[in-house]
Amino acid sequence: MRTIKTDLKKCKLDKQITNNVVNIIKNNNISDIENISMFFIDNTNNRQLVGYLYPNKFSKDVFGSPISFEDIEKGSYVVIPRNPDNRYNPNVEQYNIGDNMVIKNKSFKVKGIRKYYYLDEIPYTTGLKFLTLSAFDIILPDSTSDKQKEMLKKYLETNIKNIKVILPESIPEKVITSLFIPLVSSIFIGLIAIFNFTFLYKYMIEKSRKDYILLRICGCSRLKSILLLFSQMAFLFTISYFISLIVLLILKKTNVSIFSQTSITISNCLVIYISFLSIIILAITPFLISVFKKSLIANQKLL
């Protein structure tokens, strides 16, 4: 939604345009630029490489040392390859940190390994100097409007001849609707489940009220009695919640698309669990207070 893609294969970039392509993109007076990914081709062995305007934004997944701004300024010969992916570079070799790899008949020293990307990385200044720029992606801030994207497209087409610019597609209204309806349905079903659980637990408390009155008479304080009920409620909810998760995991292994395509993460499960439990506690608290606000003398009439 915020990445403008380009293709320069039909462009005849002269050296001046190549050297100034970053300044052309940055100094557009239309929108701020969050990052630029530049894609290069080493024609000697048909290898694709990538260079970033701000490589520090992609440095968290690097083992060893990521490319620094000093490398970019000095044009240092450093490369960060990841584990090779033959789909993009059929003849790519496996390298370790400290190895030397040859690109455009020049030796580059590997200083780090990027885990989650498929292309070898070099400083973009080195790529612009020695390799062929085949494309670049412009990552824009979330606040960039569609009008600004259109203006930026025209700006690029004016300053770089024969460039192919692909704007990010807006999410169709049908897709938004298809996501919105299941979300609302899930919330509605969840609220019904919470209501049913709360109603059932109220019924259980009513049935066992005499037992809790006996606990009070035997010395259990009002606060401890309420905490006992809360812990019982949390225990029952936790068991039912984990049973539901187990059922969902079993259904994910089936061929039913609505379940097999469902993504489950520990953090999501934890957020849902805490949210539902909090709502149940808030719903049941007034009832528990009403049960235990009476004095022991008044409650003894129920025995």
Side-chain angles (χ1 to χ4, degrees):
M1 287 297 296
R2 59 194 187 98
T3 300
I4 294 179
K5 296 183 176 294
T6 67
D7 189 341
L8 303 174
K9 292 177 181 177
K10 294 184 178 180
C11 295
K12 293 182 178 179
L13 297 176
D14 56 37
K15 202 63 181 175
Q16 183 177 1
I17 292 291
T18 301
N19 293 336
N20 293 330
V21 67
V22 174
N23 290 328
I24 291 173
I25 299 169
K26 288 175 62 178
N27 301 325
N28 59 78
N29 295 321
I30 299 169
S31 172
D32 293 330
I33 303 299
E34 188 171 302
N35 211 342
I36 306 174
S37 303
M38 284 159 273
F39 302 94
F40 303 99
I41 296 177
D42 176 6
N43 294 318
T44 57
N45 58 9
N46 197 29
R47 173 181 290 167
Q48 297 184 58
L49 304 101
V50 66
Y52 301 108
L53 178 65
Y54 303 121
N56 59 309
K57 295 187 177 182
F58 299 97
S59 61
K60 292 182 179 179
D61 64 336
V62 173
F63 297 106
S65 301
I67 290 178
S68 63
F69 286 108
E70 183 180 359
D71 297 325
I72 291 176
E73 292 174 2
K74 293 183 177 181
S76 305
Y77 298 161
V78 291
V79 176
I80 298 184
R82 63 150 288 173
N83 294 328
D85 190 329
N86 294 332
R87 291 176 300 171
Y88 299 97
N89 291 324
N91 301 318
V92 70
E93 306 90 357
Q94 175 72 61
Y95 291 93
N96 297 314
I97 295 175
D99 291 347
N100 290 319
M101 62 187 299
V102 177
I103 299 176
K104 196 73 174 183
N105 298 321
K106 299 182 183 295
S107 179
F108 290 72
K109 189 171 184 180
V110 178
K111 64 180 297 191
I113 297 178
R114 184 176 298 285
K115 184 178 180 182
Y116 298 110
Y117 204 62
Y118 57 84
L119 294 181
D120 298 332
E121 180 186 349
I122 59 174
Y124 76 85
T125 48
T126 303
L128 291 173
K129 186 175 182 181
F130 295 108
L131 303 176
T132 302
L133 181 64
S134 62
F136 57 82
D137 291 349
I138 303 174
I139 303 175
L140 302 170
D142 290 324
S143 57
T144 307
S145 65
D146 290 339
K147 183 178 180 180
Q148 287 175 306
K149 294 173 187 175
E150 289 285 352
M151 292 173 63
L152 193 55
K153 177 183 177 181
K154 293 180 180 178
Y155 170 82
L156 293 172
E157 291 172 341
T158 301
N159 287 274
I160 304 176
K161 293 183 180 180
N162 298 321
I163 187 176
K164 182 179 180 182
V165 183
I166 304 171
L167 294 179
E169 295 183 3
S170 301
I171 299 178
E173 188 175 344
K174 289 183 178 179
V175 175
I176 297 175
T177 304
S178 65
L179 294 173
F180 179 75
I181 292 177
L183 178 62
V184 173
S185 301
S186 300
I187 294 174
F188 181 70
I189 293 171
L191 291 175
I192 292 177
I194 291 172
F195 173 79
N196 289 336
F197 183 88
T198 305
F199 181 80
L200 179 62
Y201 193 65
K202 283 183 178 180
Y203 176 79
M204 291 172 59
I205 294 174
E206 288 288 351
K207 285 292 184 180
S208 58
R209 179 179 288 195
K210 291 182 180 180
D211 297 331
Y212 288 104
I213 293 172
L214 289 174
L215 283 176
R216 293 286 313 282
I217 293 173
C218 292
C220 184
S221 66
R222 181 178 300 175
L223 178 60
K224 287 183 178 179
S225 300
I226 294 176
L227 291 177
L228 180 63
L229 286 171
F230 275 135
S231 60
Q232 183 187 48
M233 175 185 62
F235 178 73
L236 291 173
F237 174 74
T238 302
I239 291 177
S240 61
Y241 184 77
F242 277 102
I243 291 174
S244 301
L245 284 180
I246 292 171
V247 172
L248 181 58
L249 290 172
I250 293 173
L251 290 173
K252 271 182 65 65
K253 297 183 180 297
T254 65
N255 294 323
V256 182
S257 60
I258 189 173
F259 296 112
S260 60
Q261 296 177 4
T262 303
S263 176
I264 302 176
T265 63
I266 295 176
S267 59
N268 289 341
C269 292
L270 188 60
V271 168
I272 294 172
Y273 173 79
I274 294 174
S275 301
F276 276 32
L277 184 59
S278 300
I279 295 173
I280 291 172
I281 290 175
L282 289 174
I284 208 75
T285 296
F287 176 73
L288 294 182
I289 292 174
S290 67
V291 169
F292 289 99
K293 71 178 181 180
K294 294 181 181 180
S295 65
L296 284 176
I297 297 174
N299 279 323
Q300 284 179 2
K301 296 180 181 178
L302 297 173
L303 296 177

